[in-house]
Amino acid sequence: MDAFTNFLGKVDDIVWGLPLIILIIVCGIYLTIRLKFLQIVHLPKALRFMIKNEEDGTGEVTSFGALCTALSATIGTGNIVGVATAIGILAGGPGALFWMWIAALFGMATKYSEGLLAVKYRKIDEDGHVLGGPFYYIESGMGHKWRWLAKIFAFFGACVGLMGIGTFTQVNGIASAVQAFFDPDKANTISILGNDYSIAIVVTAFILAILVGLVVIGGIQRISKVSQVIVPFMAVLYIVVCLVLIIVNINKVPAAFATIVKCAFKPMSFAGGVTASLAIAMQKGVARGIFSNEAGLGSAPIAAAAAQTKEPVRQGLVTMTGTFIDTIIVCTMTGLSIVMMGSWQDGSLEGIAVTTDAFQKGLFFMPGQVAAFILMICLVFFAFTTILGWDYYGERCLEYLTNGSKVSVQIYRWLYILCVFIGPYMTVKAVWTIADIFNGLMAIPNIIALLALSSVVVAETKDYFARHKEL
């Protein structure tokens, strides 16, 4: 297993090397300049549109429902476990959080463009079923000769759902949190294929597989309905808990921000001679930022295409708020808590254990078990909705690849449920590395399309604001 993990690490280093990081950041900067910093200028308008649905739009779900479906897929373990793995002492250090912010700032322009193009080039069949996403704006926007690029995106998109963000990382995060709370010392174990696993993990895998199966069988309507209830609740709960932690430790905030900014530009050595370099901080920050908010990945436009809207620009603005909520707000809450409490400096902690340590130290006025339980509940909700959202994304990708084969989609659903079941038995490092690799491979064709269709985005944007000067 160690040899396999090391191999995955080498592949990950190649995929998420400097060229891809530069490509994603340059795309965001390029779109930001061409759109005249739209993500800053029109953010208030975007937040207003987020909760105000169009009354006469066409689509399968409301605009807010489409956003919640997208947020259900983006707000997941990346916001809790992913941030911890990025800023830990053995990874990028606190400076990685700064690069997450940079990736998110320019990523908002990228996300806006994705949402706009998804609605503009979507197709609605006779049954009212919406077909949309990067594969359609690649094929229709760039031309049929680029269909091969759309196929590549769809293939990696289905893989990301099945073996990346959608299943392994989320379920692994849930299982780790449940075990850490109910059976931290692995006192109650069962042997599976020669390895001992906590009974808590086995039970969690079984229950999760059943719950996921009950929801995903219902398609986008059921996923959207569940997401509209869980996503706002889980986001508010987590933000409130983090705010309480920050407020009761307010004296540590200035030093935490200073550490984040300092580590972003200057390599720092810590006890034991461990050094977090600028390159590693940037790589981990951008990679985890993309993993968390999915800007440039091409996933969110699949949900955006289903929105009941007639204005591509309006839905682009709504889609853009997903990155703001996910990274600028939620990831910052996690990262700031970890840096404030110094939990990132403990090399013996991994994944969810880093964030749990920060919560237990920061929420010192309550028993440690209570703080750990609150974090576990938040993580379970975050990860569960991500599992649901990515099933929808994966299905749409497979639907495109197989020209609408319903049999293929049904098979994919059962494979998806199977991956949910086996996810807890994967190692943390291997799981996150696999997810990173597929993320990078999925992003490449989408970024190419966004750059090629940037003029369309700019033209649509100018036309919309010319027609709606009163907004």
Side-chain angles (χ1 to χ4, degrees):
M1 192 64 181
D2 289 339
F4 177 65
T5 301
N6 291 333
F7 170 75
L8 289 176
K10 292 178 180 178
V11 175
D12 186 37
D13 290 339
I14 294 173
V15 173
W16 277 105
L18 199 57
L20 180 57
I21 291 177
I22 292 175
L23 179 64
I24 292 174
I25 295 296
V26 167
C27 178
I29 294 174
Y30 178 68
L31 290 170
T32 295
I33 294 173
R34 295 206 64 182
L35 293 169
K36 299 177 180 178
F37 287 85
L38 172 140
Q39 68 267 49
I40 297 175
V41 176
H42 294 293
L43 180 59
K45 190 184 288 93
L47 293 173
R48 188 169 72 250
F49 286 163
M50 180 181 74
I51 57 176
K52 185 179 179 181
N53 295 313
E54 285 187 63
E55 297 179 357
D56 56 348
T58 56
E60 290 188 270
V61 297
T62 64
S63 183
F64 182 67
L67 175 64
C68 284
T69 300
L71 282 174
S72 73
T74 55
I75 299 182
T77 57
N79 299 83
I80 298 177
V81 183
V83 173
T85 60
I87 68 178
I89 190 172
L90 300 178
L97 183 59
F98 177 86
W99 295 109
M100 279 190 199
W101 294 337
I102 298 300
L105 174 62
F106 295 116
M108 288 175 70
T110 304
K111 203 74 163 280
Y112 164 80
S113 303
E114 291 177 320
L116 184 156
L117 292 171
V119 173
K120 179 175 176 59
Y121 291 108
R122 69 182 178 179
K123 299 177 182 178
I124 302 178
D125 63 21
E126 297 176 354
D127 299 324
H129 180 54
V130 176
L131 307 171
F135 22 82
Y136 285 100
Y137 59 68
I138 290 174
E139 180 181 338
S140 300
M142 296 175 65
H144 191 74
K145 65 180 181 179
W146 289 94
R147 197 162 190 257
W148 62 271
L149 190 65
K151 291 282 187 179
I152 290 176
F153 172 87
F155 172 76
F156 286 126
C159 289
V160 168
L162 204 59
M163 296 177 286
I165 296 178
T167 54
F168 292 158
T169 54
Q170 309 306 323
V171 183
N172 194 276
I174 290 176
S176 297
V178 172
Q179 180 190 314
F181 182 78
F182 289 105
D183 190 19
D185 300 321
K186 294 182 69 174
N188 302 294
T189 62
I190 185 172
S191 181
I192 300 177
L193 298 177
N195 294 311
D196 292 330
Y197 296 97
S198 169
I199 292 178
I201 285 183
V202 178
V203 173
T204 299
F206 183 73
I207 294 176
L208 267 177
I210 292 176
L211 292 177
V212 169
L214 290 174
V215 178
V216 301
I217 297 300
I220 180 62
Q221 284 84 5
R222 190 176 299 175
I223 292 173
S224 175
K225 288 179 181 178
V226 172
S227 298
Q228 287 184 70
V229 174
I230 296 180
V231 170
F233 165 75
M234 70 180 188
V236 170
L237 172 64
Y238 187 71
I239 291 171
V240 168
V241 172
C242 288
L243 280 175
V244 170
L245 185 153
I246 292 170
I247 291 172
V248 298
N249 298 279
I250 195 72
N251 60 308
K252 298 177 189 259
V253 173
F257 273 109
T259 300
I260 291 168
V261 176
K262 185 177 181 180
C263 290
F265 296 99
K266 183 180 179 181
M268 296 183 67
S269 296
F270 307 103
V274 178
T275 301
S277 70
L278 172 60
I280 294 176
M282 186 181 295
Q283 181 198 33
K284 295 297 182 183
V286 173
R288 287 289 178 262
I290 296 299
F291 180 94
S292 178
N293 62 55
E294 299 175 15
L297 208 61
S299 54
I302 300 175
Q308 294 171 351
T309 181
K310 60 180 180 180
E311 293 284 4
V313 169
R314 182 185 172 107
Q315 189 56 39
L317 290 170
V318 173
T319 303
M320 179 182 80
T321 62
T323 298
F324 178 79
I325 295 171
D326 178 271
T327 305
I328 303 299
I329 296 179
V330 182
C331 281
T332 296
M333 293 290 182
T334 302
L336 193 57
S337 299
I338 292 172
V339 176
M340 285 171 59
M341 295 299 104
S343 302
W344 64 278
Q345 298 182 68
D346 191 339
S348 66
L349 300 177
E350 183 181 31
I352 185 64
V354 178
T355 314
T356 301
D357 182 72
F359 269 49
Q360 291 177 329
K361 289 178 179 176
L363 301 173
F364 55 84
F365 54 86
M366 63 173 64
Q369 283 295 90
V370 175
F373 180 76
I374 292 174
L375 182 63
M376 181 195 71
I377 292 298
C378 290
L379 182 62
V380 168
F381 277 123
F382 277 26
F384 180 69
T385 55
T386 298
I387 293 170
L388 301 182
W390 266 98
D391 171 74
Y392 175 69
Y393 291 164
E395 286 184 19
R396 295 291 76 77
C397 288
L398 188 65
E399 189 177 56
Y400 179 81
L401 280 173
T402 60
N403 296 317
S405 171
K406 293 183 179 180
V407 174
S408 298
V409 170
Q410 287 296 332
I411 293 175
Y412 184 88
R413 285 177 180 173
W414 286 109
L415 287 175
Y416 198 87
I417 295 170
L418 177 62
C419 286
V420 169
F421 183 73
I422 67 175
Y425 309 113
M426 302 284 287
T427 65
V428 173
K429 187 174 182 180
V431 160
W432 283 93
T433 305
I434 290 172
D436 269 350
I437 291 170
F438 281 125
N439 279 0
L441 295 175
M442 182 180 176
I444 294 172
N446 183 56
I447 293 294
I448 292 172
L450 292 176
L451 291 171
L453 299 173
S454 60
S455 295
V456 176
V457 174
V458 173
E460 287 283 336
T461 303
K462 288 181 178 178
D463 176 68
Y464 176 81
F465 286 111
R467 289 186 288 109
H468 299 84
K469 293 180 180 179
E470 73 280 2
L471 293 177

